[in-house]
């Protein structure tokens, strides 16, 4: 009987511990940590699960993720998503293909409790790839509530032949 009670107590304690919220405060303490966490949390090898709880923790209530792209008629369009929509849309593809998005240049502007980060990226299927599968620019708007930084909008445009990334948004060549 004593062993059964100990087992029940252990299971209850384990269940309560599993439900406790993780402390992600260091991930959102600064603009740098918030942006670094954004890139890190969506990146991973083929078959590697992403930390979607941490991903959702980055975004303010009703934040938007906005992708630009072309529709079937080759017209430029926008796709508005919540963090949940992004997960539903991207999770399987990220797991099936692997995806590593790396920031290669950043410009940050701040005023009071708002910040705008223009972040140029390269994306690879694997950390070992030499050539990016895509490049683009993330426009990240952030809000500081006095306790932490929140992403309120993440708006991106992928580079194309018609729209190359301007030189001033690329890292300076070391040659």
């Amino acid at each position: 009987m004593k062993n059964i009670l100990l087992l029940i107590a252990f299971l209850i304690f384990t269940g309560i511990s599993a439900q406790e919220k993780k402390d992600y405060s260091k991930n959102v303490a600064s603009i740098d940590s918030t942006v670094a966490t954004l890139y890190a949390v969506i990146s991973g090898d083929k078959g590697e699960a992403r930390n979607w709880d941490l991903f959702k923790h980055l975004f303010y209530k009703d934040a938007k993720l906005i992708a630009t792209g072309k529709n079937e008629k080759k017209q430029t369009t926008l796709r508005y998503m919540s963090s949940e929509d992004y997960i539903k849309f991207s999770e399987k593809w990220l797991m099936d293909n692997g995806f590593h998005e790396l920031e290669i240049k950043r410009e940050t502007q701040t005023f009071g409790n708002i910040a705008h980060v223009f972040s140029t990226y390269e994306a690879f299927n694997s950390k070992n790839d030499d050539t990016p599968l895509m490049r683009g620019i993330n426009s990240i708007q952030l809000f500081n509530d006095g306790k932490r930084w929140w992403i309120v909008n993440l708006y991106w445009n992928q580079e194309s032949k018609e729209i190359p990334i301007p030189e001033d948004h690329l890292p300076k060549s070391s040659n």
Side-chain angles (χ1 to χ4, degrees):
M1 182 69 172
K2 190 176 187 180
N3 288 341
I4 293 173
L5 289 175
L6 285 173
L7 178 62
I8 291 170
F10 174 77
L11 292 174
I12 290 171
F13 177 77
T14 305
I16 291 170
S17 300
Q19 293 175 9
E20 288 178 17
K21 205 167 191 182
K22 296 210 175 181
D23 181 10
Y24 295 130
S25 57
K26 71 179 188 317
N27 299 90
V28 292
S30 68
I31 293 168
D32 288 342
S33 65
T34 304
V35 172
T37 299
L38 173 65
Y39 279 105
V41 78
I42 64 170
S43 295
D45 291 327
K46 183 178 182 176
E48 185 178 336
R50 304 314 193 263
N51 183 344
W52 294 121
D53 287 334
L54 176 54
F55 178 79
K56 291 185 278 188
H57 184 77
L58 297 172
F59 295 90
Y60 198 73
K61 181 183 180 291
D62 297 326
K64 295 292 179 229
L65 291 84
I66 310 163
T68 60
K70 302 272 185 186
N71 64 16
E72 307 81 43
K73 298 177 184 177
K74 305 291 183 204
Q75 298 167 318
T76 302
T77 62
L78 296 173
R79 179 178 184 173
Y80 293 89
M81 297 173 273
S82 67
S83 57
E84 290 286 346
D85 294 334
Y86 179 85
I87 294 166
K88 285 180 211 166
F89 175 73
S90 302
E91 184 173 30
K92 182 175 177 6
W93 189 92
L94 294 171
M95 286 284 287
D96 290 349
N97 296 282
F99 186 76
H100 291 271
E101 191 169 86
L102 307 171
E103 182 178 56
I104 60 171
K105 184 163 184 200
R106 180 191 303 180
E107 295 174 33
T108 304
Q109 296 176 327
T110 58
F111 176 74
N113 294 54
I114 65 172
H116 178 241
V117 176
F118 220 55
S119 176
T120 307
Y121 66 85
E122 291 181 331
F124 304 84
N125 288 117
S126 167
K127 289 182 225 177
N128 300 324
D129 293 347
D130 293 325
T131 305
L133 67 108
M134 68 178 79
R135 299 188 323 172
I137 296 179
N138 288 318
S139 173
I140 309 164
Q141 290 81 47
L142 300 107
F143 163 68
N144 189 302
D145 64 1
K147 297 176 187 161
R148 58 161 289 183
W149 285 95
W150 296 91
I151 298 173
V152 294
N153 283 310
L154 171 57
Y155 182 35
W156 67 93
N157 198 83
Q158 188 174 321
E159 180 180 48
S160 66
K161 289 178 184 168
E162 301 82 32
I163 307 172
I165 296 174
E167 287 298 319
D168 60 337
H169 294 294
L170 293 170
K172 299 263 187 262
S173 177
S174 58
N175 298 7

